[in-house]
Amino acid sequence: MEQQESKQVIFSGIQPSGNLTLGNYLGALKNWVKLQDEYDCYFCIVDLHAITVKQEPKNLRRRTLELLSIYIAAGIDPDRNTLFIQSHVPAHSELGWLLNCNTYMGELGRMTQYKDKSQRYGNHISAGLFNYPVLMAADILLYQADLVPVGVDQKQHLEITRDIAERFNNAYSPTFKIPDPYIPEAGAKIMDLQDPSKKMSKSSDNPNSYILIMDPPEVIRKKISRTVTDSIGIVKYSDDQPGIKNLMTILNVITGKSFEKIEKDYEGQGYAQFKNDVAEAIVSELEPIQKKVNDLISDKTYLENIYKTGAEKANYIANKTLRKVQKKIGFIPR
Ligand code: TRP
């Protein structure tokens, strides 16, 4: 616990709205694990964000606890990090409202994720979906986060967070730390297994497009063997072979083997053995995590203890920021 105060603060979150993919794991979670020594990390399960689109209550409940289990099973130590559920810290909703009153409709209307999603959901777009980035700004600003690890799809939301914070600081007085995006050194972007020009996503209609963190080994093996590749037949890290390139990236991130080494290892061999080895690497990475998730998920008392302790700490920090904001706005202190 030495020098806790001087460590930079990191905030990030994942929605409990679907099953996590290998892309989420290699692109986000696996990197978070590396941050926990150097930073004061808040890892949140953003259930308030999840309900911007319709969620079945029992699925939301199950996925929230499963996501917490996945955080821990992936190696995020609940003693060294603050793991919590967003709705357990009311300050997120409260600051969200206050920031909504300092955000313009025009800025929110320009968010590409909103534009994409509102096209997909047609007439049934909730006001929450529109205001989503403001809640995300509240998440980040409450903890005075220095750095926010996000994928490219969330960069625009981080920019609006900075705009909202700067605007508030200018209108009142310096209140919020202006957060920077955290770009990991080896940013692994895992692509769709059937269409490697797209990012791997759980929202794809074809389950062969993605691998889920909780996919059983035989399913992982089948999906990898069905990965779309090419007719070139040489294992080479090249933009002309996006399917092979993606599998090489997966192997590289999991095993640490360089692309040159991988190319050498499979010289003159075609794709069968290579695909086989990629599948086995994924299985050996995910199998221990799956076992741990299954153990954790049945230990409700342990999980409850973690999320309650996390919420206590998060509430304390978040309320400090919220009180400052309320005072500056002109609300009567309670
Ligand atoms: N919007 C993010 C996503 O869908 C999740 C999220 C919510 C988040 N609040 C956050 C990420 C704060 C980083 C920081 O990926």
Side-chain angles (χ1 to χ4, degrees):
M1 282 273 116
E2 85 289 348
Q3 289 189 326
Q4 186 80 351
E5 295 307 322
S6 66
K7 281 186 179 172
Q8 285 201 309
V9 174
I10 281 197
F11 187 100
S12 202
I14 298 178
Q15 299 189 44
S17 55
N19 296 313
L20 294 202
T21 67
L22 182 68
N24 298 120
Y25 173 69
L26 296 179
L29 279 174
K30 202 172 157 72
N31 288 313
W32 293 3
V33 175
K34 298 181 201 147
L35 302 172
Q36 56 190 344
D37 295 319
E38 220 180 307
Y39 299 96
D40 182 13
C41 299
Y42 293 81
F43 295 124
C44 187
I45 295 164
V46 292
D47 55 352
L48 298 172
H49 278 102
I51 62 160
T52 53
V53 298
K54 196 153 182 54
Q55 302 293 333
E56 192 66 49
K58 70 173 192 311
N59 287 341
L60 183 60
R61 241 181 321 263
R62 178 178 54 77
R63 285 181 173 144
T64 300
L65 292 181
E66 186 179 88
L67 186 51
L68 179 63
S69 307
I70 290 175
Y71 280 7
I72 301 166
I76 298 169
D77 178 356
D79 292 331
R80 277 185 293 159
N81 304 280
T82 309
L83 304 185
F84 70 104
I85 299 169
Q86 190 185 27
S87 65
H88 291 185
V89 182
H92 291 246
S93 302
E94 296 179 58
L95 183 64
W97 175 256
L98 304 180
L99 297 180
N100 265 314
C101 299
N102 284 276
T103 304
Y104 299 111
M105 302 282 286
E107 316 179 81
L108 291 175
R110 283 194 289 276
M111 295 290 111
T112 53
Q113 186 168 314
Y114 168 72
K115 288 198 267 187
D116 291 349
K117 283 197 186 175
S118 55
Q119 258 170 18
R120 204 154 8 116
Y121 296 109
N123 278 332
H124 300 277
I125 311 151
S126 70
L129 195 62
F130 186 69
N131 291 308
Y132 178 115
V134 183
L135 180 61
M136 182 161 158
D139 296 344
I140 296 165
L141 300 177
L142 279 172
Y143 301 91
Q144 307 289 350
D146 296 279
L147 296 168
V148 182
V150 282
V152 272
D153 60 318
Q154 295 298 315
K155 266 213 155 144
Q156 203 184 21
H157 291 163
L158 194 59
E159 274 154 29
I160 199 176
T161 299
R162 292 165 56 94
D163 291 344
I164 294 170
E166 271 163 12
R167 186 177 310 132
F168 191 94
N169 287 351
N170 290 333
Y172 298 92
S173 61
T175 309
F176 297 122
K177 172 83 72 49
I178 310 298
D180 285 309
Y182 177 87
I183 316 286
E185 293 158 42
K189 189 171 174 198
I190 307 303
M191 311 306 282
D192 185 301
L193 299 175
Q194 295 299 312
D195 176 2
S197 68
K198 292 192 305 207
K199 189 178 152 181
M200 182 182 282
S201 165
K202 61 198 165 200
S203 49
S204 166
D205 302 327
N206 181 354
N208 283 326
S209 290
Y210 52 76
I211 286 174
L212 299 176
I213 293 186
M214 298 304 285
D215 269 347
E218 61 278 13
V219 174
I220 295 174
R221 292 187 180 107
K222 208 182 313 155
K223 286 181 178 177
I224 290 297
S225 76
R226 291 182 183 163
T227 302
V228 168
T229 54
D230 54 68
S231 55
I232 297 174
I234 299 167
V235 177
K236 188 160 180 283
Y237 192 79
S238 154
D239 289 336
D240 299 334
Q241 297 171 254
I244 290 296
K245 185 176 166 182
N246 190 35
L247 293 182
M248 287 178 78
T249 303
I250 293 172
L251 195 60
N252 162 266
V253 180
I254 294 178
T255 65
K257 257 195 209 180
S258 71
F259 297 125
E260 297 76 34
K261 174 88 171 82
I262 297 172
E263 287 174 359
K264 261 232 176 76
D265 285 353
Y266 297 98
E267 227 164 46
Q269 288 192 37
Y271 295 152
Q273 184 63 41
F274 171 61
K275 280 185 165 181
N276 203 51
D277 292 353
V278 172
E280 291 318 310
I282 299 170
V283 168
S284 61
E285 178 85 7
L286 293 185
E287 222 178 8
I289 294 176
Q290 295 172 351
K291 290 214 171 86
K292 208 150 174 224
V293 168
N294 289 329
D295 288 345
L296 288 168
I297 213 130
S298 53
D299 194 346
K300 295 280 186 290
T301 321
Y302 173 77
L303 292 179
E304 189 179 312
N305 190 27
I306 305 279
Y307 66 67
K308 286 197 167 164
T309 309
E312 212 173 297
K313 171 151 186 241
N315 266 301
Y316 175 77
I317 305 288
N319 283 332
K320 278 211 289 198
T321 303
L322 181 64
R323 298 296 167 243
K324 267 195 223 166
V325 172
Q326 289 167 329
K327 192 165 159 215
K328 293 191 189 201
I329 288 179
F331 289 173
I332 304 292
R334 39 188 99 175

